[in-house]
Amino acid sequence: MTASRSPNIPRCPTRDEIDTAPRQSIVAGTGGKADVFSIPVDGVRVLVKDFRPRGFVARQLGRFQIGRESAAYATLTGMAGVPAFAGRIDAYALAIEFIEAERLAFAEVRPADGPTLIAKLRTIVDDLHARGIIHNDLRGRENVLLTKDGNLVVIDFAAAVHLTPGGLTHRLFFRFLSMADEAAFLKWKGMIAPGSYTSEDVAFLARFERWRALWPFNPKRRKSARAA
């Protein structure tokens, strides 16, 4: 006997289905990037992320990303502001709910709506962190979407870190690692609701930039070193 599936969660397609169903391409993957497209499944569009068409090395890296992202989506099941997880199709692909939306960075947001949107993003970030998920790429303009009804959706958890709340690693590392999400949230706050920074926001960003300067893979640090 199998458990019934929530009607809000789309069925996960099979490999045969994603290889043969008519696609609507969203991102045509090149190099190490996945193909991202939507297909109909039982009359509902499902978003698919697939690394299988890539070369051997990219497929193996993609396999790791798909595993990480699948685990994150599964942990976030039922959470508002995140697409429902349909399932991991195979080692190289996953499927999630398709949501009609545009990138928040390119949306025409009225100044009066800025504070409301930032409050919604704050709720999403807090809910992610409450489940032990650090997104790690909220700064990406393609990762925060605005729906037609004015809601926000966060996508792309390929870089996410999951530290189980209450566990030792969570107690040791969560506060530090989550600084990247907090700094990204403040980037959006400055963009969507300019002039709304508090003194605490400014102090946090100053601390974050000091920590970031110590990170050996920081692009700004590498540029400074080359210039020297």
Side-chain angles (χ1 to χ4, degrees), residues 91-115:
Y92 307 109
L94 60 77
I96 60 173
E97 173 189 14
F98 177 80
I99 298 176
E100 193 72 47
E102 62 177 324
R103 295 180 182 181
L104 176 61
F106 302 146
E108 294 185 7
V109 176
R110 297 181 304 172
D113 294 334

Side-chain angles (χ1 to χ4, degrees), residues 13-227:
T14 65
R15 169 55 65 178
D16 285 344
E17 285 179 303
I18 69 170
D19 286 344
T20 59
R23 300 182 177 188
Q24 290 184 2
S25 180
I26 296 172
V27 175
T30 57
K33 295 184 178 295
D35 288 339
V36 181
F37 52 89
S38 69
I39 62 169
V41 177
D42 300 336
V44 176
R45 298 209 73 81
V46 171
L47 188 74
V48 175
K49 187 173 188 177
D50 185 16
F51 280 94
R52 199 174 77 164
R54 305 283 77 79
F56 176 79
V57 174
R59 279 203 310 273
Q60 302 318 306
L61 293 173
R63 183 174 188 156
F64 174 76
Q65 286 189 32
I66 290 296
R68 179 194 291 263
E69 193 163 10
S70 294
Y73 276 121
T75 299
L76 299 172
T77 296
M79 183 185 135
V82 175
F85 181 50
R88 186 171 182 175
I89 298 166
D90 56 24
Y92 307 109
L94 60 77
I96 60 173
E97 173 189 14
F98 177 80
I99 298 176
E100 193 72 47
E102 62 177 324
R103 295 180 182 181
L104 176 61
F106 302 146
E108 294 185 7
V109 176
R110 297 181 304 172
D113 294 334
T116 299
L117 290 174
I118 289 303
K120 290 180 178 181
L121 184 58
R122 179 74 265 173
T123 296
I124 293 173
V125 172
D126 288 346
D127 288 349
L128 290 176
H129 290 178
R131 297 195 185 199
I133 296 290
I134 300 165
H135 187 281
N136 258 338
D137 197 17
L138 276 177
R139 295 177 69 88
R141 293 189 172 193
E142 68 278 10
N143 294 337
V144 181
L145 308 179
L146 177 64
T147 65
K148 291 182 178 179
D149 58 0
N151 288 314
L152 295 182
V153 179
V154 171
I155 61 170
D156 195 348
F157 288 83
V161 174
H162 181 205
L163 301 178
T164 304
L168 178 61
T169 54
H170 186 280
R171 294 197 298 271
L172 291 175
F173 303 117
F174 191 87
R175 184 175 181 181
F176 174 72
L177 293 177
S178 64
M179 288 179 71
D181 281 4
E182 294 299 332
F185 166 76
L186 290 177
K187 181 207 78 169
W188 287 107
K189 186 176 183 180
M191 181 186 301
I192 303 302
S196 62
Y197 278 167
T198 65
S199 58
E200 290 80 6
D201 294 339
V202 174
F204 175 87
L205 287 173
R207 290 197 305 273
F208 178 75
E209 288 303 323
R210 288 196 294 270
W211 279 108
R212 194 179 182 199
L214 299 174
W215 179 241
F217 304 107
N218 183 353
K220 291 183 179 179
R221 183 175 180 178
R222 292 201 299 270
K223 288 180 181 178
S224 297
R226 286 197 297 268

